[in-house]
Amino acid sequence: MSRKVSKVFKQSGVIPYRVNNGRVEILLITTRNYQHWVIPKGDIPSGMSPPDSAAKEAWEEAGVIGQVDANQLGTYKYRKQGKAYQVKMYLLPVDILSEDYPEATKRKRQWVEVNQAIRWVKFSSLKRVMKDFFQVKSSCCAFRC
């Protein structure tokens, strides 16, 4: 018996964050149908690095600009419409939050504290990436304050 090997689509995404009154907050966005809270992510265009692609998605989906940390935070996997995806995750300290961005009318966004963000996101593998990083580096000193 041969087993069908399914293609895994590669994506990159960011966890946009800020430090507000000494506490780390994450900017979550909704899916386009407003059903779930997620982070900005998307396919990696040919010729573009994963961190650059993640920055592009952060602008298009959440209206945020900052310098993506090129060190990969981790990966998470999910399935959608029968396809498998693997997302390379990066941190994005938010420098600019715009009200006018490409998907402003298609998504909601919300700043939430780390523990709340972990509860709100849909995918358990994304929850794990967030827990692993933010519970280790939960102090302000670990972030650009």
Side-chain angles (χ1 to χ4, degrees):
M1 286 194 289
S2 67
R3 185 173 167 194
K4 183 180 176 184
V5 177
S6 62
K7 180 175 178 163
V8 176
F9 294 89
K10 305 290 184 187
Q11 295 186 321
S12 65
V14 296
I15 298 176
Y17 76 91
R18 70 181 180 189
V19 178
N20 187 20
N21 295 324
R23 299 192 67 110
V24 177
E25 295 178 330
I26 295 173
L27 183 67
L28 294 180
I29 60 172
T30 60
T31 54
R32 286 190 188 126
N33 59 13
Y34 303 111
Q35 288 187 339
H36 303 288
W37 289 99
V38 294
I39 48 86
K41 61 165 178 42
D43 296 336
I44 304 169
S46 179
M48 187 177 276
S49 72
D52 288 345
S53 173
K56 178 180 83 65
E57 294 297 332
W59 164 249
E60 290 174 357
E61 296 182 354
V64 293
I65 298 173
Q67 183 61 49
V68 173
D69 184 334
N71 296 309
Q72 186 176 308
L73 187 60
T75 63
Y76 80 95
K77 296 177 182 178
Y78 72 98
R79 295 188 72 81
K80 181 178 175 183
Q81 299 174 337
K83 295 179 182 176
Y85 295 87
Q86 182 176 29
V87 185
K88 294 180 179 185
M89 295 299 304
Y90 300 89
L91 282 176
L92 173 71
V94 174
D95 293 326
I96 298 170
L97 179 69
S98 178
E99 295 302 317
D100 184 25
Y101 55 98
E103 297 189 15
T105 61
K106 298 177 182 165
R107 299 176 186 272
K108 294 177 185 175
R109 60 185 183 181
Q110 180 73 46
W111 286 107
V112 295
E113 290 187 5
V114 172
N115 288 333
Q116 186 174 10
I118 291 168
R119 285 193 306 270
W120 283 15
V121 295
K122 176 182 178 183
F123 301 109
S124 57
S125 54
L126 175 56
K127 289 176 188 281
R128 179 188 36 80
V129 170
M130 293 170 77
K131 280 181 191 174
D132 288 352
F133 184 77
F134 287 104
Q135 289 182 347
V136 169
K137 301 189 183 214
S138 58
S139 72
C140 180
C141 303
F143 298 94
R144 230 176 48 196
C145 299

